[in-house]
């Protein structure tokens, strides 16, 4: 588990103790079994789960039923890594869109004054489900907007039709950020490497990313022209990029 390697370094270099929070007790139990040998080499780590939230804590019906039936998934190894003092840092791993409300409740309950890391949750993918039937509402972006992207990469493949041979140009780019560096638009080269073609202190939208890639390739139409409008369409941003009123913080854009 990559998060354990990071926690190990943090404890060795800074003496920071951390807690890894799993979606539920079965996931926590599995981690203590699968990574048992690794855990013996890592100091300053403890495990928790969203099931630790008092009451239902905004958990799913299945988890509420589990609590009601008093199903205990703990074992001796799991208890060993359950509570090791008060952690200075929390890591949330493996959470789905439906579990994000419970993450917010957990943070407010146990980690209101402690730094929190959503580790490799691919928030843009999870945000796309918000507001759909059976998923949390879009209002949850209020909570997610408080998280500063530390390492982010999202690749996209595009194609563009032109009037001359080869008539169709395929290209691949990426939106990239490694804190404290700026947001970057990266263009994939023929040898498979990526080169930066644009930088900004603010997050590029997906539409802006595509525009920067086209400009770097010399394929951008004249701004305001009919072809420019037909290619981009009326809407080229996501709802969470537009709905500033749903944001509690601008950290996710910076």
């Amino acid at each position: 588990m990559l998060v354990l390697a990071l926690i190990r370094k943090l404890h060795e270099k800074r003496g920071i103790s951390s807690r890894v929070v799993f979606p539920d007790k079965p996931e926590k139990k599995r981690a203590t079994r699968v990574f048992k040998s690794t855990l013996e080499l890592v100091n300053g780590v403890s495990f928790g789960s969203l099931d630790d939230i008092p009451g239902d804590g905004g958990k799913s019906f299945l988890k509420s039923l589990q609590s009601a039936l008093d199903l205990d998934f703990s074992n001796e190894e799991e208890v060993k890594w359950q509570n090791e003092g008060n952690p200075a840092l929390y890591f949330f791993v493996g959470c789905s869109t439906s579990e994000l409300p419970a993450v917010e409740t957990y943070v407010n309950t146990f980690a209101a004054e402690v730094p929190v890391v959503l580790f490799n949750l691919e928030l843009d993918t999870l945000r796309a489900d918000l507001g759909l039937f059976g998923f949390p509402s879009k209002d949850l972006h209020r909570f997610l907007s408080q998280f500063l992207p530390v390492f982010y990469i999202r690749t996209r493949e595009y194609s563009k039709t032109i009037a001359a041979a080869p008539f169709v140009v395929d290209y691949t780019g990426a939106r990239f950020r490694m804190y404290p560096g700026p947001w970057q638009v990266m263009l994939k080269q023929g040898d498979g490497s990526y080169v930066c073609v644009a930088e900004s202190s603010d997050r590029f939208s997906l539409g802006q990313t595509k525009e920067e890639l086209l400009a770097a390739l010399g394929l951008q139409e004249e701004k305001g022209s009919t072809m420019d409008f037909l290619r981009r369409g009326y809407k080229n941003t996501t709802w969470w990029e537009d709905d500033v009123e749903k944001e509690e913080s601008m950290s996710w854009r910076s």
Side-chain angles (χ1 to χ4, degrees):
M1 188 189 297
L2 185 59
V3 69
L4 292 179
L6 176 57
I7 289 173
R8 181 180 180 181
K9 287 292 184 182
L10 287 172
H11 191 267
E12 288 177 353
K13 294 183 178 296
R14 300 289 184 88
I16 295 176
S17 61
S18 305
R19 179 162 300 162
V20 182
V21 182
F22 295 89
D24 50 39
K25 288 183 179 179
E27 285 290 332
K28 183 173 66 170
K29 177 182 178 181
R30 176 182 177 277
T32 58
R33 183 180 70 252
V34 173
F35 300 103
K36 179 180 178 180
S37 59
T38 303
L39 286 168
E40 297 293 342
L41 303 175
V42 181
N43 295 317
V45 61
S46 59
F47 284 175
S49 78
L50 297 180
D51 290 334
D52 297 335
I53 302 171
D56 62 25
K59 295 180 290 184
S60 67
F61 171 76
L62 181 60
K63 293 177 183 177
S64 298
L65 181 62
Q66 172 187 314
S67 299
L69 296 176
D70 195 26
L71 298 180
D72 186 8
F73 291 96
S74 63
N75 58 23
E76 183 178 346
E77 288 298 324
E78 180 185 350
V79 172
K80 180 179 178 181
W81 306 103
Q82 188 162 1
N83 293 303
E84 190 174 298
N86 295 319
L89 191 60
Y90 283 83
F91 289 88
F92 289 84
V93 298
C95 298
S96 66
T97 306
S98 298
E99 289 158 340
L100 290 178
V103 172
E104 180 181 15
T105 303
Y106 189 103
V107 171
N108 292 336
T109 304
F110 300 110
E113 305 297 329
V114 181
V116 171
V117 178
L118 304 184
F119 195 80
N120 288 349
L121 293 193
E122 299 184 0
L123 287 185
D124 278 6
T125 301
L126 302 188
R127 282 187 180 99
D129 293 331
L130 297 179
L132 299 179
F133 179 75
F135 290 94
S137 69
K138 293 180 179 181
D139 181 64
L140 191 61
H141 180 56
R142 164 192 47 76
F143 168 67
L144 301 179
S145 67
Q146 301 175 67
F147 289 88
L148 175 71
V150 174
F151 183 83
Y152 177 103
I153 183 168
R154 181 170 184 176
T155 59
R156 296 292 293 268
E157 296 181 353
Y158 301 98
S159 62
K160 178 175 171 58
T161 304
I162 57 177
F167 302 109
V168 176
V169 177
D170 297 318
Y171 59 101
T172 300
R175 181 170 55 179
F176 176 77
R177 201 281 175 88
M178 186 166 64
Y179 186 84
W183 287 90
Q184 297 179 320
V185 175
M186 313 290 285
L187 177 65
K188 188 175 183 180
Q189 305 295 288
D191 61 0
S193 63
Y194 284 81
V195 60
C196 177
V197 297
E199 291 185 350
S200 174
S201 58
D202 296 323
R203 181 189 184 110
F204 290 97
S205 68
L206 287 178
Q208 291 169 336
T209 300
K210 186 176 181 180
E211 292 297 319
E212 295 292 351
L213 292 171
L214 287 172
L217 292 168
L219 298 175
Q220 196 173 35
E221 285 94 0
E222 181 182 353
K223 193 165 186 176
S225 66
T226 301
M227 287 302 297
D228 180 51
F229 175 77
L230 291 175
R231 178 179 58 78
R232 291 188 298 109
Y234 172 74
K235 185 78 170 175
N236 64 348
T237 56
T238 60
W239 65 262
W240 61 86
E241 291 171 333
D242 288 339
D243 292 351
V244 179
E245 66 274 8
K246 287 187 171 64
E247 298 176 5
E248 189 168 299
S249 169
M250 295 289 287
S251 292
W252 80 284
R253 295 183 184 268
S254 60

